[in-house]
Amino acid sequence: MSLAPYVPILGLFALAAGFALFSVAAAPFVGPRRFNKAKLDAYECGIEPTPQPVGGGRFPVKFYLTAMLFIVFDIEIIFLYPWAVNFGMLGVFGFVEMVLFIVTVFVAFAYVWRRGGLDWD
């Protein structure tokens, strides 16, 4: 069993890791060094920041629900890629299975939409 087909992938990983390490190492030397109070303050869109409670302020659960819905539907859609690549070899059985999968995803999407999970109020 030859590992030659994996050499380009390993090379790409090495190139990405080298670029990341170089970027992190070079940033302190090439970045601007003009600090002032305005640059060191947190950016608040022109509104003066208000003090936060020690344990942090309340954060709406809606943000977490939206993120979880995005992840769930994103992962479901990723399952379509291998099916599209092997569509010719799967035949009618693969087509029927993917139709059932897409119907299931659509039913879940319709349920979330009907329950107001996509409304941003």
Side-chain angles (χ1 to χ4, degrees):
M1 181 171 180
S2 174
L3 297 178
Y6 295 106
V7 171
I9 295 172
L10 292 175
L12 185 61
F13 283 147
L15 182 67
F19 178 74
L21 290 173
F22 173 76
S23 298
V24 170
F29 302 111
V30 297
R33 294 184 184 91
R34 296 180 303 267
F35 299 109
N36 59 30
K37 184 179 180 337
K39 285 187 178 183
L40 295 176
D41 281 347
Y43 180 68
E44 293 286 338
C45 301
I47 301 171
E48 288 296 320
T50 57
Q52 293 291 327
V54 176
R58 298 192 77 171
F59 202 77
V61 176
K62 189 71 172 176
F63 293 110
Y64 296 111
L65 291 176
T66 303
M68 284 190 295
L69 286 174
F70 172 76
I71 290 171
V72 166
F73 285 113
D74 191 42
I75 290 172
E76 288 176 349
I77 296 304
I78 287 174
F79 284 128
L80 290 174
Y81 182 72
W83 172 77
V85 170
N86 291 325
F87 178 70
M89 295 183 339
L90 295 175
V92 176
F93 176 75
F95 179 73
V96 170
E97 290 297 320
M98 192 48 65
V99 166
L100 291 174
F101 177 75
I102 291 173
V103 167
T104 304
V105 170
F106 181 73
V107 167
F109 178 72
Y111 174 77
V112 168
W113 188 1
R114 182 130 173 116
R115 296 279 302 194
L118 302 175
D119 294 336
W120 197 261
D121 292 337

